[in-house]
Amino acid sequence: MRELDQEKAIHLLNSIMEFELAGVVRYTHYSLMVTGPNRIPIVNFFKLQATESLTHAQQVGEIITGLEGHPSQKIATIEETYKHNVKDILEETLNHEKKALSMYKQLLDVVEDASIYLEEFVRTMIGTEEAHTIEIKKMLRDFS
């Protein structure tokens, strides 16, 4: 095992926490903007995504404080495209999930072989983000 670069891990964890908190706002906004005949299940999907993003931010924050770090109170920048049809919202969601996946993979590079706990946590998060990506791609299929 190699030694964990705590400073780098905390920095990446804070970036992830800010991104997950931005996801709470993003997905809440999307849930409010969806219209059309399939509104109800899509709104429920986005509400669940918002709740999950908050849970992820809280989990990451607990790890940050466990590493003797200080959790950020910021949220990542959220671009407002003012495009609110379901296809556009799902495409933005896919991009958000891909970015989250990339961030967790960066963190994996830092924690791999340095902390089994952190490595397992990050691998679980990567699996979750990959599953979201697959689900969103399925949702987008009918729009192609």
Side-chain angles (χ1 to χ4, degrees):
M1 279 213 133
R2 62 187 174 94
E3 191 169 331
L4 177 66
D5 183 341
Q6 261 189 240
E7 190 176 313
K8 195 169 189 179
I10 290 168
H11 174 75
L12 287 168
L13 285 161
N14 262 317
S15 294
I16 289 168
M17 185 173 170
E18 292 171 7
F19 195 75
E20 291 286 9
L21 288 172
V24 175
V25 175
R26 174 186 295 276
Y27 293 135
T28 299
H29 176 77
Y30 290 164
S31 76
L32 299 169
M33 299 308 298
V34 173
T35 59
N38 297 315
R39 181 177 193 280
I40 305 269
I42 295 170
V43 165
N44 289 334
F45 169 77
F46 283 120
K47 285 180 178 179
L48 284 171
Q49 291 299 109
T51 300
E52 189 172 279
S53 287
L54 179 57
T55 300
H56 291 173
Q58 290 168 335
Q59 290 173 314
V60 169
E62 289 290 350
I63 292 169
I64 292 168
T65 56
L67 294 174
E68 300 176 11
H70 185 270
S72 174
Q73 292 188 39
K74 300 175 190 169
I75 67 168
T77 302
I78 306 167
E79 182 184 336
E80 171 59 78
T81 63
Y82 297 97
K83 295 179 183 176
H84 297 115
N85 69 57
V86 173
K87 182 177 188 270
D88 287 330
I89 289 172
L90 287 172
E91 286 173 349
E92 288 176 26
T93 298
L94 183 60
N95 289 335
H96 181 82
E97 294 295 328
K98 285 180 177 178
K99 170 75 172 150
L101 186 56
S102 169
M103 294 174 84
Y104 282 111
K105 285 181 177 179
Q106 275 184 285
L107 181 59
L108 181 60
D109 289 340
V110 173
V111 303
E112 196 169 31
D113 295 326
S115 167
I116 292 170
Y117 168 71
L118 291 176
E119 188 175 336
E120 290 301 316
F121 170 76
V122 174
R123 287 182 185 283
T124 299
M125 298 307 284
I126 288 170
T128 300
E129 299 299 343
E130 286 180 346
H132 289 165
T133 301
I134 289 167
E135 194 63 38
I136 295 159
K137 285 178 181 176
K138 283 185 187 180
M139 292 170 80
L140 277 165
R141 265 193 215 152
D142 285 352
F143 293 104
S144 332

